[in-house]
């Protein structure tokens, strides 16, 4: 059985903000009973926070078995990260709405690799749209499924789908735009 993850990725937090914002959201989640305070080994050999007594409040359709799973943790990720989904179906230009990556067109997806590398090295990660020519930053493209490039993310392992209202509440606390990559390992 595969392990499913869902991430709330903050695409606006700066490297300086990430640690204290991450800690703030964690303590809010503990306070709400969404996750437990003590970290234990619950994410594929890594430490995380298991679901709390009130975790259902964060999900659309909770299931009773979540507490029984070996992998069911929540984890705050800080530091420069690509918050990825499994694969890329489409990448849409925010200016002209053209799809610069579509379906099986692997060539155009690999065009992003140097841009992501450049961003990792401290660059802006901006690339011109090959249809309209306008410069577009990594987080400005319409990624489908969602991808995020940033310094702060919140991973949920094997949780039922997160409720939109819960995700909005996390975004509001952060004061930032978030995206929700997901996938299965
Ligand atoms: Zn364009």
């Amino acid at each position: 059985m595969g392990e499913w993850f869902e991430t709330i990725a903050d695409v606006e937090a700066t490297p300086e903000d990430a640690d204290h914002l991450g800690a703030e959201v964690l303590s809010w989640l503990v306070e709400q009973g969404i996750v437990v305070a003590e970290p234990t080994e619950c994410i594929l050999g890594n430490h995380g926070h298991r679901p709390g007594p009130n975790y259902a409040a964060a999900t659309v359709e909770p299931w009773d078995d979540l507490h029984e799973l070996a992998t069911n943790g929540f984890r705050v990720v800080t530091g420069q990260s690509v918050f990825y989904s499994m694969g890329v179906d489409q990448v849409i230009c925010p200016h002209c709405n053209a799809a610069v990556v579509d379906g099986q067109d692997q060539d155009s997806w690999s065009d992003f690799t140097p841009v992501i590398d450049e961003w990792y090295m401290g660059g802006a990660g901006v690339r011109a749209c090959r249809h309209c020519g306008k410069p577009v930053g990594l987080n400005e493209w319409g990624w489908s499924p969602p991808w995020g490039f940033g310094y702060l993310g919140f991973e949920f392992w094997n949780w039922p789908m997160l409720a939109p209202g819960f995700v909005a509440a996390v975004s509001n606390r952060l004061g930032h735009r978030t995206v929700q990559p997901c996938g299965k390992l």
Side-chain angles (χ1 to χ4, degrees), residues 9 13 18 30 34 46 48 93 115 147 153 164 180:
V30 169
I34 307 285
N46 291 312
C93 172
V115 184
W147 282 52
Q180 278 171 274

Side-chain angles (χ1 to χ4, degrees), residues 26-163:
L26 173 60
S27 63
W28 176 67
L29 292 178
V30 169
E31 211 177 275
Q32 302 290 310
I34 307 285
V35 301
V36 301
E38 318 81 78
T40 49
E41 204 177 293
C42 56
I43 305 175
L44 309 172
N46 291 312
H47 279 70
H49 300 265
R50 290 195 185 270
N54 196 29
Y55 92 86
T59 68
V60 176
E61 257 181 273
W63 58 68
D64 295 339
D65 296 350
L66 180 63
H67 289 289
E68 319 302 324
L69 297 178
T71 299
N72 64 1
F74 160 85
R75 173 164 92 113
V76 179
V77 179
T78 56
Q80 193 173 25
S81 309
V82 175
F83 298 106
Y84 60 92
S85 289
M86 283 299 127
V88 176
D89 295 329
Q90 260 195 342
V91 181
I92 307 282
C93 172
H95 300 295
C96 70
N97 267 336
V100 296
V101 174
D102 204 352
Q104 310 308 316
D105 190 354
Q106 291 301 321
D107 283 330
S108 49
W109 158 236
S110 65
D111 289 351
F112 277 89
T113 309
V115 184
I116 293 171
D117 288 347
E118 184 215 309
W119 174 77
Y120 258 119
M121 301 300 288
V126 169
R127 174 177 179 234
C129 169
R130 66 180 154 100
H131 294 275
C132 69
K134 291 197 175 136
V136 184
L138 279 172
N139 284 313
E140 294 171 327
W141 299 99
W143 295 83
S144 175
W147 282 52
F149 302 83
Y151 300 88
L152 176 62
F154 304 93
E155 287 179 357
F156 297 79
W157 285 87
N158 286 330
W159 284 44
M161 193 190 286
L162 298 175

